């Protein structure tokens, strides 16, 4: 009975959740490319990086919310990244070594990336967008889908929850 | 449908509108206070670093929203685009009860004596409409004091030898210093500067029935969780409502100010919270909607007698849009200096506010308000990569040993830095939106360079091993410190309102927000606006004769 209610309530969304794709906006291929990108923008070292922190999940989630208007930019940009990767190394981006991925990123950053898609959209602008969104997904609040287990805050030795003072603050003694 | 007539209708429940509402209501006038935003409370403090008034990448927490509001921005090269409030180019100020004072940093500056007479101090500046104010520091001093005591200001500016004379000290002491404060204070003293504790609209001891600051770091851009930060939403607006004479209506979007055939205003037309068009008739109208929304409303209020909009007979409404050209420096220290103790900014100097060789004006310099990881991640010193392992390592190694000193450079008003109403684009209610165009005066950038150098010198003396500048862009100013668009003056041909904020050719229409500022000081402008609001209110009450205004 409960199942039936859920199915009815989500009727119009069946086409989205009917597949095995766990992503909200991106296709699985797009999401894997994006994960590989954020992994190089903030790589893991002694502290986890943007991949583990869920920066790609953050971006995917915002693309169905405040960043709705950037959906097309992301689709084009991720297609372009794939093309550049194939043009430079003959493989898709996710199959490259970390060093090769960095070379692709540098090509995007310099706006000198090969690929048909970059004739209709700017590689540099896409790169800047992904960098700033990765920073948001790594350093921003976990409630938006990134910064898993507030990993970046731990790295920066910041207290959490971020309400310094509350513990030591006794409302009964004032006012 | 017309609602019951009242004595005064006030558009905007921010810093100016809140004070006027209280003063008129306490004097016995019936008041309707209209606010386009909501009345938020401390429970709306989500401490969300991506969704607040300062960092609005995921939206503005306290309005306006990206769905219903927009503006047109014309770049200096003539290219125009439609922007939403979460975009910096929109020049947003909050839309909520309390306005900017709900989530601001709460610095409570008095402008300096010279700030009111820049033209007589420095002479004319080419390409600028720079002028003296029609009022002096001395005229405003009693009202500064009134604002400081009625609302509640903490701090200690005794060591500031550049300040104008005070009739009364501040009612509350400063907060105990943070680690950064102590380092910067000692460095400034070694440089023979005059550091002091910034006056703040923030309780440091219980005051006005509200508690003292709990020193969290999430201050500017957020609502105060314990009510220690002072805005009009937790002071004058509740007092206005307590008189029984004031009605506050939220989520009301004002369309136009109504006029009659005698050239007086008769009230306002607005869309209520359900989107229905209402008319609120009133004996006097106070527009206090911000330096961008007030001129927009005046320009949208066209009639046979006012074909170019209210107060705009000489084409001055919307002109001289100013904000502040923020300039300063960042410095990397050798050891950890960050102690995560709020509210952040605490120490300032006014040594470079005036008297800078060859330059007009200057800026106060102070330490930075808030530095959350997301802010630091987006600010990188030259040479540090913007991504990759090196960037991450830089964040890890330097986040706690980073200082910033900056200040608001007093801008030269520019006639062509302006707000108009767009001929095509409308908001969700069908009202023509603001169209912003123009650029900063080149002198602002020169001063900014100079100030940035002084900030770097202060940081170096404090032990910074390297510094790099923070400089403003050339584009149009505005932002939360927006001002200047309905200038106050004695000559109706070169200003919009008189010294009491009354529109020159409309006896019962007032503008009470930073629009009236002739120049915007080298300081955060809110306390000056609050003082002006007290002064204008006093004048309104004196000129009130039971059913209308004299004059």
């Amino acid at each position: 009975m409960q199942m039936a209610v859920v199915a009815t309530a989500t009727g119009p969304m069946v086409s989205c959740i009917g597949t095995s794709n766990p992503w909200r906006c991106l296709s699985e291929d797009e999401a894997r490319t994006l994960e590989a990108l954020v992994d190089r923008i903030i790589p893991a070292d002694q502290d986890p990086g943007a991949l583990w922190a869920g920066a790609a999940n953050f971006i995917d989630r915002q693309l169905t919310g405040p960043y709705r208007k950037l959906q097309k930019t992301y689709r084009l940009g991720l297609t372009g990244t794939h093309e550049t990767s194939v043009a430079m190394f003959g493989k898709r981006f996710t199959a490259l070594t970390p060093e090769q991925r960095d070379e692709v990123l540098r090509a995007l950053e310099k706006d000198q990336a090969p690929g048909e898609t970059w004739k209709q959209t700017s590689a540099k602008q896409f790169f800047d967008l992904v960098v700033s969104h990765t920073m948001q997904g790594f350093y921003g609040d976990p409630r938006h889908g990134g910064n898993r287990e507030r990993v970046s805050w731990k790295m920066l030795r910041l207290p959490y929850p971020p309400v310094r003072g509350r513990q030591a603050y006794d409302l009964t003694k004032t006012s | 449908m017309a609602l019951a007539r009242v004595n005064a209708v006030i558009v905007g429940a921010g810093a100016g509108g809140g004070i006027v509402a209280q003063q008129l209501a306490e004097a016995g006038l019936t008041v309707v206070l209209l606010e386009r935003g909501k009345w938020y409370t401390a429970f709306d403090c989500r401490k969300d670093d991506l969704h607040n008034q300062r960092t609005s990448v995921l939206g503005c927490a306290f309005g306006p929203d990206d769905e219903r509001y927009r503006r047109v921005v014309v770049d200096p090269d003539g290219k125009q685009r439609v922007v939403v409030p979460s975009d910096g180019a929109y020049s947003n100020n909050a839309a909520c009860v309390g306005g900017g004072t709900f989530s601001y940093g709460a610095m409570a500056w008095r402008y300096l004596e010279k700030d009111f007479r820049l033209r007589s101090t420095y002479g004319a500046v080419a390409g600028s409409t720079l002028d003296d104010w029609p009022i002096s520091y001395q005229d405003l001093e009693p009202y500064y004091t009134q604002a400081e005591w009625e609302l509640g200001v903490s701090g200690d500016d005794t060591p500031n030898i550049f300040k104008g004379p005070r009739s009364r000290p501040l009612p509350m002491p400063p907060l105990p210093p943070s680690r950064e404060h102590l380092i910067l204070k000692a460095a400034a003293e070694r440089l023979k500067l005059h550091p002091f504790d910034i006056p703040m609209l923030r309780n440091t001891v219980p005051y006005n029935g509200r508690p003292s600051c709990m020193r969290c770091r999430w201050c500017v851009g957020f609502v105060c969780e314990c009510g220690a930060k002072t805005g009009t939403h937790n002071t004058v607006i509740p007092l206005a409502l307590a008189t029984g004479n004031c009605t506050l209506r939220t989520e009301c979007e004002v369309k136009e100010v109504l006029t009659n055939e005698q050239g007086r205003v008769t009230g306002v037309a607005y869309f209520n919270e359900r989107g229905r068009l209402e008319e609120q008739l009133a004996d006097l109208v106070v527009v206090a909607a911000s330096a961008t929304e007030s001129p927009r409303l005046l320009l949208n209020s066209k009639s046979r007698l006012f074909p170019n909009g209210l107060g705009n007979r000489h084409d001055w409404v919307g002109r001289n849009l100013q904000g502040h050209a923020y300039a300063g420096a960042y410095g990397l220290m050798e050891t950890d200096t960050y102690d995560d103790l709020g509210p952040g900014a605490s120490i300032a100097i006014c040594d470079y506010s005036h008297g800078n060789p060859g330059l007009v004006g200057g800026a106060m310099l102070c330490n930075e308000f808030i530095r959350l990881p997301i802010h630091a991640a987006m600010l990188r010193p030259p040479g540090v990569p913007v991504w990759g392992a090196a960037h991450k390592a830089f964040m890890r190694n330097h986040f706690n040993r980073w200082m910033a000193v900056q200040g608001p450079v007093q801008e030269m008003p520019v006639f062509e830095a302006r707000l108009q109403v767009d001929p095509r684009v409308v908001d969700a209610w069908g009202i023509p939106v603001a169209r912003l165009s123009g650029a900063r005066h080149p002198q602002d950038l020169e001063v900014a360079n100079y100030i940035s150098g002084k900030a770097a010198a202060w940081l170096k003396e404090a032990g910074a091993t390297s510094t790099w500048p923070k400089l403003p862009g050339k584009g149009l100013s505005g932002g939360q410190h927006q001002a200047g668009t309905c200038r106050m003056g004695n000559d109706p041909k070169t200003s919009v309102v008189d010294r009491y904020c009354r529109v020159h050719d409309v006896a019962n229409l007032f503008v009470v927000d930073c629009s009236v500022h002739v120049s915007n000081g080298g300081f955060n402008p809110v306390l000056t606006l609050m003082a002006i609001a007290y002064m204008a209110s006093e004048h309104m009450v004196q000129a009130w004769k039971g059913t209308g205004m004299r004059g």
Side-chain angles (χ1 to χ4, degrees):
Chain A
M1 181 61 196
Q2 260 186 333
M3 292 283 284
V5 171
V6 171
T8 317
T10 55
M13 291 172 65
V14 164
S15 58
C16 291
I17 61 168
T19 68
S20 58
N21 179 7
W23 299 87
R24 298 169 188 81
C25 171
L26 302 173
S27 73
E28 283 195 78
D29 271 355
E30 288 168 337
R32 278 200 203 98
T33 307
L34 181 62
E35 284 198 315
L37 276 169
V38 305
D39 185 40
R40 295 316 300 159
I41 291 169
I42 305 177
D45 44 20
Q46 68 260 46
D47 293 298
L51 174 63
W52 188 87
N57 180 56
F58 164 84
I59 294 169
D60 179 60
R61 187 159 138 190
Q62 301 317 319
L63 285 174
T64 64
Y67 294 158
R68 269 185 309 271
K69 57 181 183 289
L70 298 171
Q71 284 184 9
K72 194 181 163 206
T73 310
Y74 263 91
R75 288 197 202 291
L76 280 174
L78 293 168
T79 306
T81 306
H82 172 74
E83 288 170 7
T84 304
S85 175
V86 171
M88 286 173 71
F89 299 106
K91 291 181 192 162
R92 59 196 160 77
F93 189 67
T94 46
L96 303 183
T97 65
E99 293 71 28
Q100 290 172 328
R101 289 181 191 179
D102 284 357
E103 282 197 43
V104 172
L105 259 70
R106 278 191 283 273
L108 300 179
E109 189 180 17
K110 289 186 198 138
D111 222 356
Q112 291 166 355
E116 275 301 300
T117 306
W118 301 129
K119 287 175 186 163
Q120 47 175 315
T121 188
S122 156
K124 166 78 175 144
Q125 275 174 21
F126 174 67
F127 176 81
D128 289 345
L129 195 69
V130 180
V131 168
S132 55
H133 290 174
T134 304
M135 296 300 162
Q136 292 166 17
F138 187 71
Y139 293 105
D141 195 290
R143 83 187 78 193
H144 299 296
N147 199 2
R148 183 166 146 196
E149 294 179 17
R150 58 189 164 84
V151 59
S152 64
W153 286 59
K154 283 180 188 163
M155 175 179 99
L156 302 178
R157 294 173 282 136
L158 278 173
Y160 196 94
V163 262
R164 198 198 190 287
R166 184 189 268 167
Q167 296 88 337
Y169 191 77
D170 185 355
L171 273 171
T172 59
K173 283 186 187 158
T174 53
S175 75
Chain B
M1 189 195 82
L3 300 156
R5 182 186 186 84
V6 292
N7 296 141
V9 62
I10 300 169
V11 182
I19 288 172
V20 177
Q22 181 227 3
Q23 295 291 302
L24 297 188
E26 289 193 347
L29 280 76
T30 52
V31 176
V32 164
L33 180 56
L34 297 174
E35 167 56 46
R36 65 182 167 148
K38 297 177 183 172
W39 196 340
Y40 298 100
T41 70
F43 296 103
D44 295 298
C45 180
R46 288 155 40 92
K47 300 209 166 176
D48 184 336
D49 50 9
L50 302 178
H51 183 249
N52 58 72
Q53 290 304 118
R54 196 36 119 59
T55 310
S56 54
V57 291
L58 299 183
C60 301
F62 306 120
D65 58 76
D66 284 357
E67 281 70 39
R68 296 178 299 172
Y69 294 89
R70 64 213 66 160
R71 281 179 184 164
V72 176
V73 173
V74 187
D75 294 338
D77 58 4
K79 211 186 300 171
Q80 65 178 62
R81 61 197 171 103
V82 176
V83 295
V84 293
S86 64
D87 187 321
Y90 184 94
S91 257
N92 188 30
N93 204 342
C96 61
V97 174
T101 72
F102 187 71
S103 60
Y104 61 178
M107 287 195 205
W109 293 102
R110 292 174 173 217
Y111 287 177
L112 304 176
E113 290 169 287
K114 278 182 186 165
D115 293 333
F116 295 92
R117 38 187 180 85
L118 286 179
R119 177 73 181 260
S120 357
T121 305
Y122 294 100
V125 172
S128 170
T129 49
L130 187 69
D131 209 346
D132 289 351
W133 290 51
I135 53 175
S136 66
Y137 173 83
Q138 281 69 24
D139 292 330
L140 213 49
E141 202 285 332
Y143 305 99
Y144 272 134
T145 302
Q146 187 176 5
E148 285 165 350
W149 282 81
E150 291 198 8
L151 294 151
V153 173
S154 60
D156 182 8
D157 60 1
T158 323
N160 180 16
I161 58 166
F162 305 98
K163 69 175 190 291
R166 277 185 169 281
S167 58
R168 223 178 154 186
L170 292 172
M172 283 180 276
L175 288 166
S178 64
R179 197 184 297 166
E180 183 176 288
H181 181 112
L182 293 171
I183 296 169
L184 285 170
K185 186 176 182 206
E189 282 167 353
R190 287 197 297 275
L191 290 170
K192 307 278 184 274
L193 302 171
H194 302 83
F196 60 95
D197 291 277
I198 301 172
M200 298 269 199
L201 281 146
R202 177 179 293 102
N203 287 0
T204 54
V205 291
Y207 195 84
N208 271 344
R210 287 179 294 108
S212 59
C213 174
M214 68 178 192
R215 312 216 60 182
C216 90
R217 203 53 216 246
W218 300 64
C219 198
V220 65
F222 302 89
V223 55
C224 180
E225 219 180 353
C226 67
K229 186 158 70 178
T230 303
T232 54
H233 64 287
N234 58 14
T235 52
V236 288
I237 292 173
L239 287 175
L241 299 178
T243 63
N245 292 332
C246 177
T247 307
L248 169 66
R249 293 189 199 131
T250 56
E251 296 181 79
C252 293
E253 191 68 26
V254 178
K255 178 174 172 273
E256 63 179 311
V257 179
L258 305 167
T259 51
N260 64 13
E261 286 299 310
Q262 284 74 49
R264 291 207 160 208
V265 294
T266 58
V268 298
Y270 70 94
F271 293 97
N272 72 9
E273 78 281 9
R274 290 187 296 278
R276 198 169 74 172
L277 189 61
E278 302 271 16
E279 281 187 11
Q280 177 61 59
L281 300 183
D283 300 316
L284 69 106
V285 174
V286 180
V287 178
S290 82
T292 42
E293 290 298 321
S294 288
R296 175 189 172 206
L297 178 57
L298 296 182
L299 293 171
N300 271 329
S301 303
K302 294 189 173 88
S303 58
R304 191 182 62 81
L305 287 174
F306 303 98
N308 302 319
L310 283 163
N312 200 29
R313 214 171 286 290
H314 300 285
D315 191 23
W316 273 71
V317 172
R319 300 282 192 173
N320 305 306
L321 178 61
Q322 299 151 67
H324 284 121
Y326 264 87
Y330 304 99
L332 296 179
M333 316 304 285
E334 271 182 333
T335 54
D336 283 9
T337 51
Y338 184 74
D339 57 7
D340 203 40
L341 204 57
S346 63
I347 184 167
I349 53 169
C350 286
D351 296 76
Y352 306 116
S353 293
H354 289 284
N356 301 313
L359 297 169
V360 181
M364 160 277 288
L365 275 174
C366 67
N367 57 338
E368 188 188 39
F369 244 117
I370 184 170
R371 186 173 68 241
L372 295 169
I374 185 62
H375 302 139
M378 302 306 286
L379 290 170
R380 301 131 178 144
V384 172
V386 301
W387 59 281
H391 175 258
K392 187 184 179 193
F394 180 84
M395 282 290 288
R396 183 168 45 222
N397 297 335
H398 293 98
F399 182 78
N400 292 299
R401 49 176 69 178
W402 190 344
M403 271 197 216
V405 164
Q406 60 175 350
V409 168
Q410 171 132 268
E411 294 183 348
M412 296 297 105
V414 175
F415 201 58
E416 291 305 323
R418 66 185 298 202
L419 178 147
Q420 297 163 279
V421 290
D422 195 82
R424 282 172 296 277
V425 182
V426 295
D427 63 15
W429 296 267
I431 310 168
V433 304
R435 176 184 175 87
L436 305 169
S437 59
R440 282 199 169 98
H441 194 281
Q443 134 91 21
D444 303 346
L445 304 175
E446 273 180 59
V447 179
N449 262 319
Y450 176 85
I451 291 295
S452 172
K454 296 297 178 191
W458 189 6
L459 286 167
K460 283 197 179 115
E461 181 62 34
T465 50
S466 69
T467 64
W468 68 101
K470 174 199 167 86
L471 292 169
K474 289 179 191 161
L476 184 66
S477 192
Q480 208 186 3
H481 293 184
Q482 53 189 261
T485 48
C486 298
R487 176 180 283 197
M488 175 191 278
N490 293 324
D491 183 355
K493 290 198 180 68
T494 57
S495 60
V496 177
V497 299
D498 68 15
R499 58 188 281 134
Y500 299 113
C501 300
R502 189 198 303 237
V503 172
H504 283 304
D505 56 353
V506 188
N508 61 340
L509 175 62
F510 294 79
V511 179
V512 186
D513 56 34
C514 287
S515 305
V516 305
H517 288 193
V518 177
S519 50
N520 208 19
F523 299 100
N524 310 51
V526 76
L527 193 79
T528 299
L529 162 60
M530 288 169 164
I532 288 171
Y534 278 114
M535 187 169 81
S537 306
E538 188 181 87
H539 172 77
M540 286 178 219
V541 170
Q542 281 167 359
W544 177 253
K545 53 176 185 179
T547 54
M549 305 295 290
R550 280 185 286 264

